[in-house]
Amino acid sequence: SQMVECLSSFTLSPGKCGDLLGQVSMSFLMFLYIYCSGEGGWSEWGKWQLCSVTCGDGIRKRRRTCSEPIPLCGGSCSGAEEEITPCSTEIICPTHGGWSSWGSWGPCPVTCLYEGHSPQKELRKRTCTNPTPSTVPRGNLCEGSETDSRPCSGLPFCPADGNWGTWAGHTPCSVTCGVGQQTQRRICDSPKPAHGGKQCRGEEQQTGICIIPVNCPLNGMWTEWGKWSECKPPSTRNIRCRNREGKRKRERDCVDRKYNGDFCDGAFVQHGNCYDIEGCEMKGVLSEWSEWSYCKPDCGPNSAQIREIKCVADISSYSSQDHTIFAGNPRVKCDGLEAQTQRRPCKNVPVCMDKVVMLCSELTYIHFY
């Protein structure tokens, strides 16, 4: 069908050239068929899309296009345009709470009615257990009340217990910028206890956080010291490869100071003595064991520490034996000296996790606006 479509669009010119061509040869027709019926080619696969879920297991997709080359005369690409693969966020999905069915109506909670008030009510309850909200990760609690009520009837008057009034206005925020605390109070007057009724239960004061939309001052912080400058002689005398001290310096910056915060304490520039051993031929000696390194990697069962003995330059002929003040890369002769490395596994290393979710389950914060 592709050949028919292609040849149907091919006609000889009615001019002189058509007479010269004569009858079209079969090889020429085959050439047209091969040229016209080109199959398409797939492009490279695109990037994987994000996982379809934010927790638990899902899928992700990637696509490619039939464009390298584009198919001709109704051709197509062989294979799938889209590829799907499972993915895992390695995050446990929270289970949100759901209400159970209402329980039976309970008995009226009192044997009498409060004078001047609406009658007491009998209650029925339901529980947030269908399902119970998960703790880690924390699921949402059920919306609405766990209790339902209806008025009691046919009861005599009785003593009225006290009930809390609404929360009063809060105190000023404890800070002038950022996050602080403020409190609210309430009074047991809705109603007050009467006829020997009970006092209100619960706290008359509660504390919550408050936010002052003013930036707090941020003090400056020093960056790490930069590299030491070249070790230079204090005079015109040559110090390279000699037991003569030179001078060098390094600098650091005070960064991240904002909103009238304090400047960094200390100096921007540090000066120090040095010995210039750049390119010097020096005898090699074995160092002492280095300190144990930090655990690498910092999580997982393969975390380990190492320490080393290395071939270092012999500086015994110099006035100072502090390797840190020697500047440059000497040519150290380490013939016959063998470096050593010791390795030991780290203990009590945490399991590697892609994301750590911190749950605050012991404190309840109340926002005031």
Side-chain angles (χ1 to χ4, degrees), residues 224-282:
E224 296 293 330
W225 283 107
K227 294 182 178 180
W228 284 105
S229 65
E230 182 183 354
C231 187
K232 295 183 178 181
S235 63
T236 58
R237 300 179 67 187
N238 183 27
I239 63 171
R240 180 161 291 176
C241 304
R242 300 186 181 185
N243 189 16
R244 294 175 184 166
E245 288 189 353
K247 298 292 183 182
R248 62 181 180 176
K249 68 177 182 179
R250 61 181 180 177
E251 299 178 353
R252 59 181 177 177
D253 294 322
C254 184
V255 297
D256 296 333
R257 174 183 172 271
K258 294 180 181 179
Y259 315 119
N260 297 320
D262 295 336
F263 288 96
C264 302
D265 291 331
F268 287 86
V269 181
Q270 184 181 44
H271 297 273
N273 297 332
C274 56
Y275 290 104
D276 185 2
I277 58 173
E278 177 64 36
C280 302
E281 290 191 2
M282 302 181 69

Side-chain angles (χ1 to χ4, degrees), residues 86-356:
C87 58
S88 175
T89 63
E90 298 186 8
I91 300 174
I92 299 173
C93 291
T95 300
H96 301 308
W99 289 115
S100 66
S101 299
W102 284 107
S104 301
W105 286 104
C108 193
V110 296
T111 58
C112 53
L113 298 178
Y114 295 110
E115 184 176 5
H117 292 77
S118 298
Q120 290 292 317
K121 297 179 178 180
E122 55 188 4
L123 305 177
R124 63 177 179 175
K125 292 190 175 183
R126 58 182 177 178
T127 57
C128 188
T129 56
N130 187 30
T132 302
S134 58
T135 302
V136 179
R138 181 168 294 282
N140 295 335
L141 299 177
C142 298
E143 294 184 0
S145 175
E146 67 176 358
T147 59
D148 187 20
S149 62
R150 65 184 181 186
C152 298
S153 59
L155 299 176
F157 290 116
C158 63
D161 294 337
N163 191 38
W164 289 112
T166 58
W167 289 102
H170 54 77
T171 61
C173 194
S174 61
V175 296
T176 57
C177 65
V179 180
Q181 288 186 329
Q182 56 188 177
T183 59
Q184 281 184 309
R185 293 182 179 274
R186 59 183 178 177
I187 302 175
C188 186
D189 62 354
S190 296
K192 294 180 180 180
H195 310 296
K198 298 177 181 178
Q199 293 289 333
C200 298
R201 295 182 179 181
E203 301 296 330
E204 66 176 357
Q205 176 178 304
Q206 64 181 2
T207 302
I209 65 170
C210 53
I211 300 175
I212 303 299
V214 176
N215 293 316
C216 294
L218 296 177
N219 299 331
M221 299 175 57
W222 286 117
T223 61
E224 296 293 330
W225 283 107
K227 294 182 178 180
W228 284 105
S229 65
E230 182 183 354
C231 187
K232 295 183 178 181
S235 63
T236 58
R237 300 179 67 187
N238 183 27
I239 63 171
R240 180 161 291 176
C241 304
R242 300 186 181 185
N243 189 16
R244 294 175 184 166
E245 288 189 353
K247 298 292 183 182
R248 62 181 180 176
K249 68 177 182 179
R250 61 181 180 177
E251 299 178 353
R252 59 181 177 177
D253 294 322
C254 184
V255 297
D256 296 333
R257 174 183 172 271
K258 294 180 181 179
Y259 315 119
N260 297 320
D262 295 336
F263 288 96
C264 302
D265 291 331
F268 287 86
V269 181
Q270 184 181 44
H271 297 273
N273 297 332
C274 56
Y275 290 104
D276 185 2
I277 58 173
E278 177 64 36
C280 302
E281 290 191 2
M282 302 181 69
K283 176 185 175 183
V285 294
L286 289 177
S287 67
E288 298 292 330
W289 281 108
S290 66
E291 296 292 331
W292 286 104
S293 68
Y294 290 111
C295 291
K296 294 182 180 180
D298 56 8
C299 62
N302 298 322
S303 182
Q305 295 175 291
I306 62 171
R307 65 175 183 174
E308 299 175 314
I309 291 179
K310 299 188 294 186
C311 176
V312 297
D314 183 5
I315 59 173
S316 59
S317 61
Y318 284 81
S319 300
S320 174
Q321 304 301 301
D322 183 2
H323 281 274
T324 63
I325 69 172
F326 285 79
N329 297 307
R331 298 196 298 273
V332 182
K333 297 179 180 179
C334 296
D335 297 341
L337 300 176
E338 183 178 354
Q340 301 179 48
T341 301
Q342 287 185 343
R343 184 179 186 275
R344 67 181 183 185
C346 294
K347 299 179 180 179
N348 301 321
V349 179
V351 176
C352 294
M353 299 178 65
D354 291 338
K355 184 179 290 185
V356 177

